[in-house]
Amino acid sequence: EMAERVPPPRNTPDAHSYGAALSACERGGQPDEALRLLERMRSEGLRPGLVHYHAVMRACATPAHWPIAASMLQDARDEGLSPNTVSTNCALAACEAGGAWRDALALLDEAAAPDAISFHTAIAACRRAGGRPAARAALR
């Protein structure tokens, strides 16, 4: 009787499945696969949410992929989403990984509600790329 009430298994992934796969890409350091999955999700008519963007942005927080992660804030806006502080912090972490302190400061400047993590990450990006003068600029 219970078996009759169990729905048949789905053959196509849903947003939750993609979220799990994107998180695995994030944890496994697979930015290219995360980007492919995000595109596949869209092509299957599923609308990515902020959680999906965050996972991809964190996967792309590498010296080679940071510009993609930083640009995803605008991608999320283009999809009708409202990036939040977590979104900003993901983009800032990508800038830090890429040593892009100027981009980090620009993101911090346009952030709606930066928190302590936002400031810490922007300063870390400055320190990584330009030393103390750049870090001091972040505090102004």
Side-chain angles (χ1 to χ4, degrees):
E1 182 176 305
M2 181 65 144
E4 293 172 3
R5 290 188 273 165
V6 175
R10 292 180 49 125
N11 292 330
T12 57
D14 61 7
H16 295 291
S17 302
Y18 276 104
L22 289 169
S23 291
C25 291
E26 170 194 344
R27 288 189 307 278
Q30 299 292 319
D32 293 324
E33 185 61 24
L35 290 165
R36 278 191 289 277
L37 283 171
L38 185 66
E39 190 52 43
R40 182 175 166 196
M41 183 180 185
R42 287 183 184 127
S43 73
E44 291 181 4
L46 296 171
R47 184 175 177 243
L50 285 179
V51 68
H52 301 103
Y53 278 102
H54 295 165
V56 176
M57 290 166 73
R58 285 190 287 260
C60 290
T62 68
H65 291 85
W66 76 266
I68 296 167
S71 72
M72 292 195 129
L73 284 175
Q74 187 58 49
D75 292 348
R77 286 185 195 101
D78 292 346
E79 296 241 3
L81 300 171
S82 297
N84 57 26
T85 303
V86 174
S87 310
T88 299
N89 291 345
C90 290
L92 285 167
C95 291
E96 178 189 2
W101 66 274
R102 286 183 179 91
D103 295 89
L105 293 180
L107 284 171
L108 187 62
D109 193 46
E110 70 185 38
D115 62 5
I117 295 170
S118 308
F119 285 99
H120 173 79
T121 308
I123 291 168
C126 293
R127 245 191 335 246
R128 173 179 277 207
R132 286 185 178 204
R136 281 192 196 120
L139 295 174
R140 289 190 192 126

